[in-house]
Amino acid sequence: MKRIATFGLTFVLAGLIAAPAHAQYMQTQRAGITLGGTYSQLTDDWTASSDFEWGFIGGGFFEWQYHPNLSGQLEINYAQRGGSGTRTGVPADTFDIKLAYLAFPVTLNAMIPVSQTIDLRGTVGFSFALSLSCKAGIDGGDRESCGSTFPGLEKESIEWAFPLGAGIGFKFGKNKVELDARYHLGLSNVLKTAIVKNRSWEFMVRLGQAF
């Protein structure tokens, strides 16, 4: 994880350093939709082992490109996270947890052009998410609400996270297609009274149009 963070921050800093002064640059606003998948697991003291599981992510975004090499971005995404594995303690039962969030990532993007229509992108920021649902099952049983499956372990209502990613963008006139791979590092617990956090990859396609 340290290597991923170092690489991402280095890329963003490279974009900042390489950014020339463009006093006459015409700012661009872009809005569009996001579709993709999450590949997530649950970690920390509550889990003895945890496997990655696939989920869905989708929503919309607004990007304000105020410089040829820099932009700020606000997203609203529905995102599925969670994972399966074995709990610590006795009994060491297996679990399967599905979490759903309405997430609001705010990011800084650094862009390094490789041609007039293609650029490389680095992303860093933070994310605030509202927990929509938490379903859990034990030892292969049916999933019910987390508080019912694990008495006393209700879902936390809010999650804070650190998104860090890289991607590539393709311009087609006013339209733009972006392929983005992002690591989502959960900073807060997903369950009350238990130290357990989300760790997930996000693979997204963004379709945007300037206006």
Side-chain angles (χ1 to χ4, degrees):
M1 177 56 208
K2 290 183 179 179
R3 292 183 179 179
I4 297 172
T6 300
F7 173 79
L9 291 173
T10 300
F11 189 96
V12 172
L13 289 174
L16 293 171
I17 294 171
H22 284 254
Q24 303 301 318
Y25 176 70
M26 184 175 294
Q27 300 179 7
T28 302
Q29 290 79 43
R30 187 178 294 109
I33 61 173
T34 300
L35 293 172
T38 61
Y39 191 55
S40 60
Q41 67 174 171
L42 297 171
T43 64
D44 285 324
D45 296 348
W46 191 77
T47 63
S49 65
S50 181
D51 298 324
F52 281 89
E53 291 193 355
W54 286 98
F56 171 79
I57 185 170
F61 71 93
F62 171 78
E63 182 179 12
W64 173 40
Q65 188 170 347
Y66 55 89
H67 188 281
N69 302 91
L70 298 171
S71 72
Q73 187 163 296
L74 171 65
E75 304 170 32
I76 302 176
N77 295 322
Y78 171 82
Q80 296 176 334
R81 309 194 192 281
S84 59
T86 304
R87 285 201 300 166
T88 57
V90 179
D93 45 34
T94 61
F95 66 86
D96 181 13
I97 297 180
K98 301 293 185 184
L99 298 146
Y101 293 92
L102 186 63
F104 300 87
V106 178
T107 60
L108 171 68
N109 304 314
M111 291 154 285
I112 300 178
V114 296
S115 73
Q116 291 185 342
T117 58
I118 301 175
D119 59 55
L120 301 178
R121 301 168 60 87
T123 298
V124 65
F126 69 92
S127 176
F128 163 82
L130 300 175
S131 180
L132 300 178
S133 66
C134 179
K135 300 290 186 179
I138 295 179
D139 295 331
D142 293 338
R143 286 193 296 267
E144 300 180 4
S145 68
C146 290
S148 297
T149 304
F150 305 112
L153 292 182
E154 299 286 348
K155 67 181 178 67
E156 286 284 7
S157 58
I158 295 174
E159 185 205 36
W160 295 94
F162 174 67
L164 179 68
I168 184 170
F170 304 90
K171 296 179 182 177
F172 303 94
K174 289 187 176 182
N175 299 316
K176 191 171 186 180
V177 177
E178 299 169 4
L179 306 178
D180 188 11
R182 184 181 295 179
Y183 188 76
H184 171 98
L185 177 64
L187 303 177
S188 58
N189 293 325
V190 302
L191 299 174
K192 294 181 179 179
T193 69
I195 302 176
V196 54
K197 297 179 174 65
N198 279 312
R199 301 285 189 268
S200 63
W201 291 94
E202 299 172 343
F203 304 99
M204 296 169 287
V205 178
R206 290 196 180 86
L207 308 176
Q209 184 175 46
F211 60 90

